Amino acid sequence: MNRTEHLLCCLAEEAAEVAHRVSKALRFGLAEIQDGQPHSNSQRISQEFHDMLAIVELLEETGALQRSTDTHAIERKKAKVQAYILYAKECGTLNGGAE
């Protein structure tokens, strides 16, 4: 395994940790603080996300990834997610407001 492959493994692990923490927040709430932990699920999601970004930056520094902030792509994704939110409401699988 070379450095890039090692970093890609790290990226996969960090992405899984973000997903794990999001799952905990969905089950127990964003404000919940797990026994023995000083931070809420919301804070821990943010920490894991920053850990993941650190790995992305390391991959960028090695030239393995080229991340550019494509604001148009971001806006397209937001619009797509919003459309699916409306569709989920129509289907009756999403209720409530902005929470």
Side-chain angles (χ1 to χ4, degrees):
M1 177 178 294
N2 62 34
R3 179 180 168 80
T4 297
E5 292 166 338
H6 182 87
L7 289 172
L8 288 170
C9 285
C10 291
L11 180 58
E13 288 174 4
E14 294 300 341
E17 289 175 15
V18 170
H20 180 247
R21 191 47 43 197
V22 168
S23 176
K24 293 292 186 181
L26 286 169
R27 290 172 59 209
F28 305 114
L30 285 166
E32 187 254 352
I33 298 173
Q34 186 177 349
D35 285 343
Q37 293 291 327
H39 302 291
S40 68
N41 286 327
S42 176
Q43 292 167 318
R44 291 177 74 186
I45 290 168
S46 182
Q47 289 170 346
E48 295 296 352
F49 180 72
H50 286 109
D51 289 351
M52 187 174 72
L53 283 179
I55 303 301
V56 168
E57 287 185 10
L58 286 169
L59 283 161
E60 288 175 320
E61 290 168 10
T62 65
L65 292 182
Q66 291 181 339
R67 178 179 49 136
S68 63
T69 303
D70 183 344
T71 56
H72 296 295
I74 292 168
E75 291 306 315
R76 282 193 305 272
K77 182 62 176 182
K78 287 180 179 180
K80 189 175 186 178
V81 169
Q82 184 58 35
Y84 279 111
I85 286 172
L86 294 174
Y87 180 64
K89 285 181 180 181
E90 290 174 15
C91 291
T93 59
L94 180 65
N95 56 31
E99 74 259 354

